[in-house]
């Protein structure tokens, strides 16, 4: 379900395919890292609550990264690695979209047809006035938030739904009949 949810979210949020869902192929590193983010950050709850507002003001990013690397705390290093995977994946996708900008016509065509949230956001951002434009950093932040917020929730909801359906045959039969009836009346769902 994690794999499925990441692919649903990748296409709907970012217009990007993480995984063609072929059996036996290794998980995208984003899946594994996203699953670890919440448990790891909860194990550093006190630090996050009381120290992070101070730590973020400590000198430039490079200096804070140096501090994190130097402090011998395994959990923090694991969290650092998770955050790096999530952030670097967003940067990679963002850069692959921006690379298209070189060819203005292809870029505009892709953005104008894209129904994913990122294309809509970038389309609106291109039309926005100078003071309303988002910095690249803000666009990246939106990508990571949306992908993370959508993935774990969707995989959990799908899993719970299938688990309950597997234990409640009557409900499963009712749902199956409703879907069959809807298909007979309206045909298959189309993505176009
Ligand atoms: C079954 C699936 C989902 C569940 C159960 C779920 C649940 C939640 C919950 C409980 C919150 C916190 C609300 C609050 O207390 O303020 C939230 C916030 C949020 N969710 Fe979801 N969510 C789901 C799917 C999604 C998807 C698909 C997206 C993106 C496309 C998404 C994006 C967000 C964002 C951006 C927020 C933060 C909103 C804000 O604070 O401004 N979620 N979600």
């Amino acid at each position: 379900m994690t794999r499925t949810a990441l692919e649903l979210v990748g296409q709907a949020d970012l217009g990007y395919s993480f995984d063609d869902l072929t059996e036996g192929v290794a998980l995208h590193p984003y899946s594994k890292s996203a699953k670890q983010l919440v448990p790891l950050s909860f194990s550093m709850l006190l630090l996050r609550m009381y120290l992070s507002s101070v730590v973020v003001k400590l000198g430039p990013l490079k200096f804070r990264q140096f501090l994190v690397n130097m402090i011998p705390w395994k959990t923090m290093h694991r969290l650092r690695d998770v955050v790096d995977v999530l952030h670097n994946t967003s940067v990679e996708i963002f850069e692959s979209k921006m690379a298209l900008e070189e060819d203005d016509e292809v870029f505009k065509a892709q953005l104008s047809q894209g129904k994913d949230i990122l294309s809509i956001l970038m389309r609106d951002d291109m039309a926005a006035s100078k003071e309303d434009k988002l910095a690249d950093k803000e666009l990246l932040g939106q990508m990571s938030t949306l992908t993370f917020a959508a993935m774990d929730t969707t995989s959990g909801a799908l899993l719970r739904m299938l688990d309950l359906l597997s234990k409640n045959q009557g409900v499963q039969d009712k749902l199956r009949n409703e879907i069959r009836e809807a298909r007979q009346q309206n045909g298959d769902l189309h993505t176009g």
Side-chain angles (χ1 to χ4, degrees), residues 9 12-13 117 142 145-158:
V9 166
D13 269 8
I117 299 177
Q142 297 288 351
T145 306
L146 278 173
T147 313
F148 180 74
M151 191 193 122
D152 220 18
T153 46
T154 305
S155 69
L158 285 173

Side-chain angles (χ1 to χ4, degrees), residues 107-120:
F107 184 62
K108 283 198 179 130
Q110 217 214 23
L111 276 192
S112 66
Q113 283 155 18
K115 291 178 181 167
D116 56 282
I117 299 177
L118 183 63
S119 292
I120 294 168

Side-chain angles (χ1 to χ4, degrees), residues 18 28-34 36-37 40 61-62 64-66 68-69 75-93 140 144:
F18 284 93
H28 191 284
Y30 195 101
S31 300
K32 210 171 146 213
S33 297
Q36 290 173 339
L37 182 68
L40 277 173
L61 177 66
K62 285 262 173 259
R64 280 176 271 136
Q65 282 172 332
F66 170 76
V68 169
N69 293 340
T75 309
M76 189 163 68
H77 288 173
R78 285 178 61 206
L79 186 56
R80 171 202 60 194
D81 296 343
V82 161
V83 170
D84 281 349
V85 170
L86 302 186
H87 178 71
N88 292 339
T89 307
S90 293
V91 172
E92 222 171 87
I93 298 170
L140 278 169
S144 293

Side-chain angles (χ1 to χ4, degrees), residues 100-101 103-112:
L100 291 174
E101 205 179 7
D103 186 340
D104 204 37
E105 289 311 308
V106 177
F107 184 62
K108 283 198 179 130
Q110 217 214 23
L111 276 192
S112 66

